[in-house]
Amino acid sequence: MEGLAEQMSELARSLQAKDDPQEVLAHLVRAAIELVPGADEGSISVVEGRRDVQSQAPSSDLPEQVDALQSEFNQGPCLDAVYEHGTVSVPDMVSEQRWPDFSRKAAELGAASMLSFQLYVEGDNLGALNLYGRKPDAFTEESEQVGLLIASHAAIAFADAQKLGQMRDAIRSRDVIGQAKGILMERYGITAQNAFIMLTQASSHTNTKLLDVAEHLATTGAIPSRRHRT
């Protein structure tokens, strides 16, 4: 247990040192495969709009294909983990009866065992850590305990990274719009408020996001026309 505690502490420190959400996810999956007994493959399932399952940071094609099955059949351990239970265990995919369509196809792909842990919940966007064993009964009680510890550390680190990423995006958006306003103010001798109105009008007339209009202007010096729609 002392060795595990040290590993968990190291994982927490390494996750907190990363400020990119995707980098956090990739590091988490690698650590989970290394630390959880029985884990051969792993991924993060992100459920957008409470239906569409997307695989992020998959360790191989297998997790990505299994996530695609969960999205196709709208059933599976990941969906149960994020909606109903913190942890969902599948000892033997061949004999699994909870999601018959999904289980049959997942077993054919080579997912013999599976563990899913709820990772985060943010509005209609949900996430789970998925671990895969290529043999039946690959996971033990210890596997579940270690997986829960990893998921708890990861949920905090991922939430922090998301907030930091959103803050960076907001600052970047503000800076780009500010540059575009400055160009219009200098070019036409207008106020900042009128420059912003010009940007919003261009956004509306060209059916283009305001940030994209500002970025186009800051990059090219021209306000996008209808032929520049995004």
Side-chain angles (χ1 to χ4, degrees):
M1 289 299 292
E2 184 177 345
L4 178 60
E6 291 177 357
Q7 290 173 319
M8 289 297 105
S9 296
E10 176 59 31
L11 175 61
R13 287 192 295 269
S14 61
L15 287 172
Q16 289 171 355
K18 301 181 185 304
D19 57 11
D20 184 318
Q22 295 306 312
E23 191 177 354
V24 169
L25 295 184
H27 186 76
L28 161 67
V29 170
R30 290 193 300 269
I33 294 172
E34 180 181 345
L35 296 175
V36 175
D40 295 315
E41 307 287 353
S43 71
I44 302 295
S45 292
V46 176
V47 186
E48 297 183 346
R50 294 185 173 264
R51 181 175 178 86
D52 184 30
V53 183
Q54 297 185 358
S55 187
Q56 298 195 16
S59 60
S60 72
D61 290 339
L62 176 62
E64 194 167 8
Q65 291 169 344
V66 173
D67 275 343
L69 288 178
Q70 294 188 88
S71 186
E72 177 184 350
F73 293 117
N74 195 29
Q75 61 176 227
C78 157
L79 294 174
D80 277 17
V82 296
Y83 291 141
E84 302 173 14
H85 310 287
T87 304
V88 176
S89 174
V90 184
D92 187 352
M93 196 69 75
V94 171
S95 59
E96 180 58 59
Q97 298 298 316
R98 284 172 288 184
W99 325 280
D101 295 332
F102 163 80
S103 301
R104 184 180 67 258
K105 292 289 188 179
E108 291 173 0
L109 289 173
S113 304
M114 194 168 171
L115 273 178
S116 291
F117 304 91
Q118 186 183 75
L119 189 58
Y120 66 93
V121 179
E122 184 179 346
D124 285 340
N125 297 325
L126 315 166
L129 166 64
N130 297 314
L131 299 175
Y132 303 82
R134 291 190 176 272
K135 295 180 180 180
D137 301 309
F139 300 111
T140 63
E141 185 177 342
E142 180 186 0
S143 303
E144 293 191 31
Q145 293 174 349
V146 176
L148 278 171
L149 287 173
I150 293 174
S152 64
H153 284 299
I156 296 170
F158 184 67
D160 289 344
Q162 274 195 317
K163 290 176 183 177
L164 196 57
Q166 290 167 354
M167 187 180 301
R168 282 204 308 264
D169 289 343
I171 291 172
R172 175 183 170 277
S173 298
R174 185 193 64 189
D175 289 346
V176 170
I177 292 173
Q179 292 172 20
K181 285 167 56 179
I183 292 172
L184 294 177
M185 290 167 66
E186 182 177 358
R187 182 177 299 171
Y188 299 110
I190 58 178
T191 65
Q193 181 177 359
N194 287 336
F196 185 74
I197 291 173
M198 285 186 67
L199 290 174
T200 57
Q201 287 176 336
S203 172
S204 176
H205 292 161
T206 61
N207 192 27
T208 306
K209 293 179 181 178
L210 176 63
L211 178 60
D212 292 340
V213 171
E215 194 161 27
H216 187 83
L217 176 57
T219 303
T220 68
I223 294 179
S225 61
R226 290 185 182 277
R227 65 177 176 273
H228 291 121
R229 277 187 190 180
T230 59

